[in-house]
Amino acid sequence: MTRSLWSSYVRSLSTSCIQHQNVLSSLQTDSARLRLVLWRPSKTHERHIVRVSHNHTKLEHRAFIALGGNMGDRVAMIEEACREMEKGGNIRILRTSSLWETKAMYVLDQDNFVNGACEIETSLSPIELLNELQSVEKRMGRVKVIDKGPRNIDLDILLYDNLTHSNERLQIPHPLMLEREFVLRPLCEMIPEENLPSHSSSAAKSLQHSLSLLPRSEDPLSPMTPLAPNLSSISAFQPQRDTRIMSILNVTPDSFSDGGKNYNIDQVTLTNTIKSHITSGATILDIGGQSTRPGAVQVSSSEELSRILPAIKLIRSLREANNLAISIDTYRADVAEESIKAGAHIINDVSAGLMDDAMLHTVAKLGCTVCLMHMRGTPETMSKLTSYPDGIIETVGRELLDRVRAAEAAGIRRWRIILDPGIGFAKTQEQNLEILRRMGELRQYPGLQGFPWLVGTSRKAFVGKITGVKEAKDRKWGTAAAVTAAIQGGADIVRVHDVEEMGQVAKLADAIWRV
């Protein structure tokens, strides 16, 4: 930092609050003691930095923190640690990696770990940051029994600006990071082409290059996406994973395929329908209280909630639904909030936050999993927005990546995101087919690797046009072919009306391709 910039910084801090004066004092001390080189992101990193959209003052330093643990509810512990880090106002999480389940290193006789990383802005010096992270661990009840042994939470500083630092308490960069796949993989999701600080021993190597030098693991690491407390997470890189069946429960009078079937019906009939979906293999139940078919009347939030909340309450009362995830098909933030508070687990937003500016911030606050679907316009206008001059895969990938970045900027953790290519939404028949044909390419789109994908083709118009089946409820055979194609392409979840039949299709498709 130049003398003039430093003087300007001192003047601005001197007019601030006492908290800022304390930060200034620590920064002055650290600058005299340490050789600080302010971090300059490469052009590659500049393209991937997520700027938070809240009206916060930008904090001075950027760092990367490792997150891990192998005791209790491991994901919940990491999420609690993220909240605790931000409580004091001196740390702001810009974005996170996925979470990766890994076997223990060094001390092998312990449970699997969940590991990830986060990029932060902070006003704290390295030692102050270490103190704060250790304070978080202490507040969360961490007790160190043996070195590298079991722990409920583990927070380590990996990188801090472009700084190298070494004393008896702290070494930056983290001395063991280049030998740990569970550290490098999360970092490579965020900054793959970044090098270590120029004055460190491994400075010439990018993180991605360092990762490539590690021996291939016998059990390849896979990112994990939590769905519900009693339901196993999705591991999108696990080749033997089962396809999850999301059954559709529309409690509307006007949905395109089953409108009215479950609308204002008696509780006994609805209970039997829900139980039959579960018995047939559904592990996610997607409740819709507002039709998104072209031309559908948009009801009020209160009307939508009056349809959804009784269904959530009923499902939560069923013993058979203990291992079920409840998803809510809505694009409204207030509906999402009330639904999650009532016991739902997932928000399935067809607009990926574009139809309600409050949606992404609301989901971040709720801490739930969200499905971001590709769509253009609204259900009323989307059929006119089907021009993709750069190609359907390139454009859908790019536009979904924009929504992922918006979600991260709002505070949604990467491990809480599911993607949907939006079959039938702002797509022509040929575009729908091309997406199904090239799903594998979409899954590998730069920046989207590792996310789980939901694909919904059930009974849609393009299926009817190709097969010549006019009535939506009779399009089972065509839907079966589309579901098979989606699974071959790597879909993790298929959203269906005919649960029993498509559950059988998914089982056979899994037996063929998930090996």
Side-chain angles (χ1 to χ4, degrees):
M1 181 179 288
T2 65
R3 184 179 299 276
S4 62
L5 285 175
W6 178 254
S7 298
S8 175
Y9 181 57
V10 170
R11 284 196 301 272
S12 66
L13 283 177
S14 65
T15 60
S16 188
C17 62
I18 292 175
Q19 179 185 3
H20 285 179
Q21 292 173 344
N22 292 337
V23 172
L24 173 61
S25 175
S26 64
L27 285 173
Q28 290 171 328
T29 301
D30 275 355
S31 67
R33 186 174 66 246
L34 303 170
R35 179 162 62 109
L36 287 178
V37 181
L38 290 182
W39 179 64
R40 296 289 186 267
S42 69
K43 290 183 179 179
T44 301
H45 196 185
E46 283 176 346
R47 291 196 298 269
H48 294 281
I49 292 174
V50 176
R51 298 297 183 190
V52 292
S53 56
H54 302 82
N55 293 322
H56 294 305
T57 303
K58 183 180 181 297
L59 302 178
E60 178 68 14
H61 302 288
R62 178 167 280 102
F64 289 85
I65 309 299
L67 313 165
N70 71 335
M71 297 174 64
D73 187 332
R74 300 166 300 172
V75 175
M77 286 290 182
I78 288 174
E79 292 180 330
E80 182 182 348
C82 289
R83 291 190 294 271
E84 287 291 323
M85 280 193 284
E86 292 191 304
K87 272 187 178 178
N90 295 317
I91 298 172
R92 185 181 309 134
I93 296 175
L94 298 178
R95 56 177 173 159
T96 63
S97 70
S98 301
L99 292 180
W100 302 73
E101 185 169 28
T102 62
K103 291 185 176 180
M105 290 182 69
Y106 313 115
V107 179
L108 304 182
D109 186 20
Q110 54 181 316
D111 292 336
N112 287 351
F113 279 81
V114 169
N115 293 103
C118 63
E119 180 181 9
I120 68 167
E121 286 183 340
T122 182
S123 61
L124 303 175
S125 70
I127 292 298
E128 289 172 331
L129 179 58
L130 175 63
N131 290 339
E132 178 57 27
L133 296 181
Q134 290 180 344
S135 176
V136 169
E137 292 176 338
K138 185 176 180 179
R139 293 198 300 270
M140 291 182 61
R142 175 175 172 176
V143 178
K144 190 171 184 178
V145 180
I146 57 172
D147 187 39
K148 298 180 176 60
R151 54 252 195 216
N152 65 327
I153 192 64
D154 193 14
L155 306 173
D156 290 315
I157 303 172
L158 301 174
L159 300 168
Y160 182 100
D161 287 340
N162 198 36
L163 172 72
T164 58
H165 172 78
S166 181
N167 65 18
E168 66 280 0
R169 289 194 63 201
L170 177 64
Q171 293 185 61
I172 301 174
H174 193 286
L176 300 178
M177 61 183 288
L178 295 186
E179 69 181 50
R180 295 175 170 179
E181 183 180 5
F182 63 80
V183 172
L184 287 177
R185 285 211 178 275
L187 281 178
C188 284
E189 285 186 303
M190 297 185 286
I191 49 170
E193 301 306 321
E194 285 300 306
N195 302 328
L196 295 183
S198 57
H199 29 285
S200 66
S201 59
S202 302
K205 300 174 183 177
S206 72
L207 294 174
Q208 189 67 56
H209 177 72
S210 297
L211 178 60
S212 71
L213 297 178
L214 293 180
R216 185 177 294 274
S217 174
E218 292 182 6
D219 298 306
L221 272 60
S222 178
M224 55 189 294
T225 303
L227 300 173
N230 296 327
L231 191 61
S232 61
S233 298
I234 293 176
S235 296
F237 284 174
Q238 173 52 253
Q240 291 89 20
R241 69 193 185 281
D242 291 334
T243 302
R244 309 300 177 98
I245 304 298
M246 173 185 275
S247 68
I248 300 168
L249 185 71
N250 287 322
V251 285
T252 58
D254 57 347
S255 292
F256 85 95
S257 173
D258 56 357
K261 181 179 179 182
N262 301 307
Y263 178 65
N264 277 345
I265 61 173
D266 64 272
Q267 192 172 67
V268 172
T269 302
L270 185 58
T271 298
N272 290 336
T273 297
I274 293 166
K275 287 182 178 180
S276 72
H277 286 194
I278 297 171
T279 302
S280 298
T283 54
I284 309 170
L285 195 59
D286 194 40
I287 306 172
Q290 165 64 64
S291 175
T292 53
R293 65 174 176 80
V297 175
Q298 303 302 295
V299 301
S300 66
S301 294
S302 59
E303 175 63 22
E304 187 177 356
L305 282 168
S306 73
R307 299 170 179 178
I308 289 172
L309 294 180
I312 296 174
K313 182 179 180 180
L314 175 58
I315 295 167
R316 295 283 297 191
S317 72
L318 299 178
R319 179 177 53 82
E320 293 87 346
N322 285 343
N323 298 320
L324 184 81
I326 303 173
S327 170
I328 303 301
D329 182 3
T330 185
Y331 57 79
R332 292 188 171 112
D334 54 349
V335 173
E337 182 162 12
E338 292 304 315
S339 297
I340 295 297
K341 288 179 178 178
H345 308 101
I346 300 168
I347 297 302
N348 182 14
D349 183 358
V350 297
S351 77
L354 287 171
M355 292 179 68
D356 187 336
D357 291 341
M359 176 61 93
L360 297 181
H361 292 292
T362 298
V363 169
K365 178 181 68 175
L366 295 169
C368 63
T369 296
V370 63
C371 182
L372 305 176
M373 194 189 82
H374 178 269
M375 185 179 73
R376 290 171 162 181
T378 67
E380 292 84 3
T381 64
M382 64 184 179
S383 61
K384 300 176 182 178
L385 302 173
T386 58
S387 175
Y388 297 85
D390 293 334
I392 189 69
I393 299 301
E394 166 61 29
T395 309
V396 168
R398 184 174 65 239
E399 292 179 2
L400 271 178
L401 183 57
D402 287 343
R403 300 317 300 154
V404 168
R405 289 174 177 168
E408 290 178 321
I412 297 175
R413 311 308 183 199
R414 186 179 179 91
W415 58 78
R416 285 287 182 179
I417 298 175
I418 299 169
L419 300 179
D420 183 338
I423 298 288
F425 288 79
K427 316 288 190 305
T428 65
Q429 175 177 301
E430 181 50 44
Q431 289 163 350
N432 290 327
L433 295 173
E434 186 173 355
I435 288 173
L436 289 173
R437 198 180 297 124
R438 301 174 63 189
M439 265 298 298
E441 295 176 50
L442 194 53
R443 290 180 73 236
Q444 294 303 316
Y445 188 87
L448 301 184
Q449 303 98 323
F451 286 113
W453 287 81
L454 182 157
V455 177
T457 59
S458 186
R459 300 182 181 179
K460 289 192 172 175
F462 81 100
V463 174
K465 289 177 182 177
I466 293 171
T467 59
V469 178
K470 184 177 180 180
E471 291 294 328
K473 62 182 178 61
D474 297 327
R475 296 172 185 162
K476 292 179 185 178
W477 291 106
T479 296
V483 165
T484 301
I487 293 172
Q488 182 185 16
D492 301 276
I493 307 169
V494 290
R495 184 176 182 271
V496 300
H497 297 86
D498 304 295
V499 182
E500 182 177 4
E501 295 86 346
M502 298 311 125
Q504 294 176 13
V505 169
K507 285 181 180 178
L508 187 55
D510 285 348
I512 297 170
W513 286 295
R514 298 287 164 86
V515 293

